[in-house]
Amino acid sequence: KMSNSSSHKFLLLAFADRWELQLLHFSLFLSIYLAALLGNGLIITAVACDHRLHTPMYFFLLNLSLLDVGFISTTVPKSIVNSLRNTRANSYSGCAAQVFLVVFMVGGKYCLLTVMAYDHYVAICRPLHYGTLMSSRACVKMAAAAWACGFLNAVLHTGNTFSIPLCKSNEVEQFFCEIPQILKLSCSYSYLREIGLLVVSASLAYGCLVFIVVAYVQIFRAVLRIPSEQGRHKAFSMCLPHLAVVSLFSSTAAFAYLKPPSVSFTALDLAVAVLYAVVPPTLNPLIY
């Protein structure tokens, strides 16, 4: 039995129980983590140091890379250390910190991807107004709003999730602390409040997704009207990486957070978590 007390530990899901497989998990996750740090680090350094890249598109890409580094650093290093030390433990405060940072990075990233879609829309559909609509002050405000949305979302969800009495067990069926898995440990109906909050967040995310889709319908209509093939190619090469990132991230995160708790297979949950928490931060630099 478990009550809400900071002295309690959570037990994270181990990828394997045999030492050889733990070693494989360690080397695989370490390689992915280092690749993500390298790729995103190169983007951050290039955009910060090269004055030719001081444009709205690259400014937002720098913010996306910062969020990706934060996101993968919240989940993967703990899993790597645990597999090396042959333990599954995560402290109560460590778990709360993981939940807070994951929700913060996911929310911020989603808002930022929406802002990037708006940037592409203005660049292609309203090029004459681009200088005024996407001034450096406007870009800083938009990026700050994306980070602030993520932060507010994280405060609400973390406070709500950890105010729920947990009593079933302390085993989290995931390689990091994740809200849907923690809700499974609750023993009262107070978890319905957090489900309600997740639905509100999902509705806002859905609103962002609709905005992105509508923006891209307008963008593609404008692009297909461009007479030169080179111009069309340039416009598509700007938009397609962003679309790929949005699709991968949205589909996996939605599946992880919105599927009913009854539909739960540990292997499936694990695969989905790897897909939204580990793969996008590593692939984004390659895609871009």
Side-chain angles (χ1 to χ4, degrees), residues 1-52:
K1 293 285 176 188
M2 177 180 180
S3 64
N4 265 3
S5 156
S6 53
S7 62
H8 278 291
K9 281 187 162 61
F10 287 92
L11 293 178
L12 300 175
L13 186 68
F15 273 86
D17 44 11
R18 282 185 27 226
W19 170 241
E20 298 87 0
L21 291 172
Q22 278 178 334
L23 207 59
L24 179 67
H25 158 241
F26 165 77
S27 29
L28 186 64
F29 261 43
L30 183 64
S31 309
I32 291 171
Y33 182 58
L34 292 176
L37 286 188
L38 178 68
N40 287 295
L42 285 172
I43 287 181
I44 292 165
T45 310
V47 176
C49 298
D50 190 341
H51 286 285
R52 288 168 304 175

Side-chain angles (χ1 to χ4, degrees), residues 135-202:
S135 66
S136 52
R137 179 177 283 185
C139 290
V140 169
K141 280 183 182 171
M142 286 183 217
W147 284 84
C149 283
F151 183 79
L152 188 64
N153 203 20
V155 169
L156 283 172
H157 282 292
T158 311
N160 213 7
T161 301
F162 286 90
S163 66
I164 296 165
L166 308 174
C167 64
K168 286 186 180 164
S169 83
N170 61 344
E171 295 202 15
V172 178
E173 292 183 354
Q174 193 52 274
F175 74 94
F176 61 95
C177 288
E178 186 187 46
I179 292 174
Q181 301 301 333
I182 291 169
L183 293 186
K184 285 186 196 172
L185 310 179
S186 68
C187 49
S188 69
Y189 283 104
S190 52
Y191 75 89
L192 290 172
R193 195 177 58 203
E194 174 56 24
I195 298 264
L197 199 54
L198 278 174
V199 169
V200 171
S201 289

Side-chain angles (χ1 to χ4, degrees), residues 8-174:
H8 278 291
K9 281 187 162 61
F10 287 92
L11 293 178
L12 300 175
L13 186 68
F15 273 86
D17 44 11
R18 282 185 27 226
W19 170 241
E20 298 87 0
L21 291 172
Q22 278 178 334
L23 207 59
L24 179 67
H25 158 241
F26 165 77
S27 29
L28 186 64
F29 261 43
L30 183 64
S31 309
I32 291 171
Y33 182 58
L34 292 176
L37 286 188
L38 178 68
N40 287 295
L42 285 172
I43 287 181
I44 292 165
T45 310
V47 176
C49 298
D50 190 341
H51 286 285
R52 288 168 304 175
L53 300 182
H54 291 182
T55 64
M57 180 178 155
Y58 287 105
F59 169 69
F60 294 133
L61 187 55
L62 176 133
N63 278 272
L64 186 69
S65 287
L66 286 171
L67 283 165
D68 274 335
V69 168
F71 189 18
I72 199 165
S73 298
T74 303
T75 56
V76 172
K78 179 71 181 168
S79 184
I80 290 173
V81 169
N82 276 6
S83 68
L84 200 61
R85 290 169 54 194
N86 199 14
T87 176
R88 296 168 54 200
N90 193 3
S91 66
Y92 191 87
S93 55
C95 200
Q98 270 194 332
V99 166
F100 177 82
L101 289 168
V102 164
V103 178
F104 177 25
M105 302 297 166
V106 168
K109 186 171 168 178
Y110 211 78
C111 293
L112 195 68
L113 288 170
T114 311
V115 169
M116 290 170 88
Y118 175 70
D119 172 51
H120 292 163
Y121 166 77
V122 176
I124 290 170
C125 299
R126 304 183 64 186
L128 299 178
H129 300 280
Y130 191 79
T132 46
L133 288 174
M134 302 306 289
S135 66
S136 52
R137 179 177 283 185
C139 290
V140 169
K141 280 183 182 171
M142 286 183 217
W147 284 84
C149 283
F151 183 79
L152 188 64
N153 203 20
V155 169
L156 283 172
H157 282 292
T158 311
N160 213 7
T161 301
F162 286 90
S163 66
I164 296 165
L166 308 174
C167 64
K168 286 186 180 164
S169 83
N170 61 344
E171 295 202 15
V172 178
E173 292 183 354
Q174 193 52 274

